[in-house]
Amino acid sequence: MWYAIAGYDAPDTLDRRLAARPEHLARLNALRDAGRLLLAGPCPAIDAEDPGPAGYTGSLVVAEFASLEDARAWAEADPYLAAGVYARVEVRPFRPVLP
């Protein structure tokens, strides 16, 4: 089943986000390579592709896992969470409809 994982950034964590980014991306690439990643990306804090020092408010990942528990376990092991970038993470079942 697909799951939507929403991470919400704590204030003033852009430096921590940038430092943890390679590890974070490695995990996403592993999901992609396994054919289990539908989409992933950050949410800029301002209306711009590159928000610069404004940073980000969080991230969204939609990926396939065997269960909600597996999706939660994957999310809880995210380097952004360990680095204190995310203040909280929500994991919910997701059903792709379009396109």
Side-chain angles (χ1 to χ4, degrees):
M1 174 138 190
W2 294 98
Y3 295 90
I5 301 168
Y8 298 88
D9 285 19
D12 302 316
T13 57
L14 182 57
D15 290 342
R16 285 183 265 171
R17 175 183 269 273
L18 295 174
R21 190 169 189 262
E23 268 187 280
H24 174 78
L25 290 179
R27 297 177 79 234
L28 292 171
N29 286 329
L31 285 176
R32 181 203 58 206
D33 294 348
R36 297 174 40 211
L37 183 65
L38 185 63
L39 65 90
C43 301
I46 60 173
D47 190 13
E49 287 225 10
D50 180 359
Y56 299 89
T57 60
S59 303
L60 177 65
V61 174
V62 178
E64 189 175 34
F65 294 92
S67 67
L68 180 58
E69 293 78 21
D70 287 350
R72 285 182 175 148
W74 186 90
E76 289 171 8
D78 194 298
Y80 282 174
L81 194 58
V85 175
Y86 291 157
R88 66 186 171 91
V89 175
E90 293 179 0
V91 180
R92 298 180 291 170
F94 179 81
R95 189 171 66 92
V97 174
L98 294 172

